[in-house]
């Protein structure tokens, strides 16, 4: 598998910490801990995750010089889909006017979703089911946040990565894992069959909101992200100094500082986008690659460790050696390009 | 690496952004200003760094005094 192109899209709306009404001392404390100064959020714009993913996909296709008919696989990773059903990937097939023989499906994962998506795409490409794959990832979490502390953390974003099977594989190692005992600690406990708030036709309830236990998330990160990095280094035979960058899911600065310390990875090798974009769920790894590593990825051979971890608990990692990736400029969306089902 | 009780208390004080003299075994956590959600994260990181151990969050939250935190890691303290 080869990474051909990568693109990301965020809403134009921006939210800075001064807008939360906290005291200066509390604000400084949060900023020091999270490393987040601002984030892009949809605010009142009628934008959805699918809109952001579509914009990123168009940008990536343009950067790669691929036509719509070139894509024969679509993996869309999101926890904030367009509808309960149908799958957003099906609507994306229509919006992008991809061929009707395309394989298209959604994957319900968050922070680990990008690297899971890469592993899935690799499997589809390797077995010949798919030859050119669009991996779209993203979430609009800001509509599911009601606690000030969590509003500091999350931004909205979508990203698209184009993958094919030309030449030798760039993937050097993969790892993954799941521990459902973590489900209560990072959850929107409604909207599905178990708790149907917001699901019935006459229910006037606002959208269900995220519940997060930050301490449990931190302990999970130490227990799972650290071994994931060590496993990837062991399987590749790379030392921390051999690695161009370790692109972590952008959980929070505090978590990444401690995970990197435990992995003996210098923070100079850990690019961060959370300062201006916050924690953007499954989009955070590709968004970081677009806004912090574009020149490196375009011009140089890069040894990357990509590591996602979070909601589930779920974690996954990919060691990949890229070269000549087409990186599209960041897209900022002000409105919705195609509303609803995109008729017409 | 084993650390002394005093060293552990000093490390907890740094994590909680408190003066070392204010962090002793008998101090109630409800009287520690820094014992909030951010302070708890710092304590978890401090323990990870000192002992190479990840904390059981539920046990940590059940602690009522600094002494209760010390008791969780007594086998690692000289």
């Amino acid at each position: 598998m080869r990474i051909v192109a990568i693109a990301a899209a965020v809403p134009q709306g921006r939210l800075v910490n001064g807008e939360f009404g906290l005291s200066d001392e509390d604000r400084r404390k949060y900023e020091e801990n999270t490393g987040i100064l601002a984030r892009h959020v949809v605010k009142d714009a009628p934008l959805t995750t699918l809109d952001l993913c579509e914009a990123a996909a168009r940008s990536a296709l343009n950067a790669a010089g691929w036509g719509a008919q070139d894509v024969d696989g679509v993996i869309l990773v999101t926890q904030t889909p367009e509808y309960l059903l149908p799958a957003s990937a099906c609507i994306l097939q229509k919006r992008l006017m991809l061929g009707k023989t395309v394989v298209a499906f959604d994957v319900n994962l968050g922070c680990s979703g990008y690297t899971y998506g890469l592993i899935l795409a690799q499997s589809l490409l390797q077995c010949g089911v798919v030859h050119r794959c669009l991996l779209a990832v993203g979430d609009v979490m800001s509509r599911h946040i009601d606690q000030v502390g969590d509003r500091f953390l999350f931004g909205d974003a979508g990203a698209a990565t184009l993958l094919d099977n030309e030449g030798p594989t760039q993937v050097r190692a993969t790892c993954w894992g799941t521990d459902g005992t973590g489900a209560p600690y990072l959850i929107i406990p409604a909207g599905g069959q178990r708790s149907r708030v917001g699901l019935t036709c006459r229910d006037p309830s606002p959208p269900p909101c995220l519940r997060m236990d930050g301490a449990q998330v931190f302990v999970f990160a130490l227990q799972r992200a650290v071994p994931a990095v060590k496993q990837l280094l062991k399987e590749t035979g790379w030392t921390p100094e051999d690695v161009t960058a370790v692109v972590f899911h952008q959980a929070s600065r505090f978590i990444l500082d401690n995970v990197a310390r435990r992995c003996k990875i210098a923070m100079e090798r850990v690019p961060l986008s959370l300062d201006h974009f916050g924690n953007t769920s499954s989009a955070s790894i590709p968004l970081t690659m677009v806004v912090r590593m574009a020149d490196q990825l375009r011009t140089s051979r890069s040894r990357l460790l990509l590591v996602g971890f979070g909601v589930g608990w779920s974690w996954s990692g990919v060691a990949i050696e890229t070269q000549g990736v087409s990186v599209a400029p960041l897209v900022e969306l002000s409105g919705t390009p195609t509303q609803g089902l995109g008729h017409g | 690496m084993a650390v002394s009780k005093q060293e552990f208390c000093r490390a907890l004080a740094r994590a909680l952004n408190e003066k070392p003299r204010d962090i002793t075994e008998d101090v109630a956590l409800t009287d520690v200003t820094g014992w909030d959600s951010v302070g708890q994260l710092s304590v978890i990181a401090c323990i990870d760094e000192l002992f190479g151990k990840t904390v059981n969050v539920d046990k940590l939250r059940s602690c009522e005094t600094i002494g209760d935190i010390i008791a969780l890691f007594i086998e690692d303290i000289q």
Side-chain angles (χ1 to χ4, degrees), chain B residues 26-61:
Chain B
D26 56 340
V27 167
L29 288 167
T30 48
D31 293 334
V32 178
T33 316
W35 182 249
D36 57 10
S37 59
V38 173
Q40 287 173 13
L41 288 179
S42 297
V43 167
I44 293 167
C46 159
I47 289 163
D48 176 71
E49 201 165 357
L50 275 180
F51 305 127
K53 285 186 174 177
T54 46
V55 173
N56 180 313
V57 176
D58 294 331
K59 283 186 181 172
L60 184 68
R61 285 183 179 146

Side-chain angles (χ1 to χ4, degrees), chain A residues 168-212:
Chain A
T169 182
Q170 295 178 338
V171 176
R172 300 291 178 259
T174 56
C175 65
W176 58 86
T178 308
D179 177 5
T181 62
Y185 303 124
L186 195 46
I187 187 170
I188 297 176
Q193 292 290 304
R194 181 58 58 191
S195 174
R196 292 190 277 174
V197 176
L199 192 65
T200 59
C201 299
R202 295 191 192 92
D203 191 340
S205 305
C209 289
L210 183 76
R211 293 287 170 263
M212 182 174 68

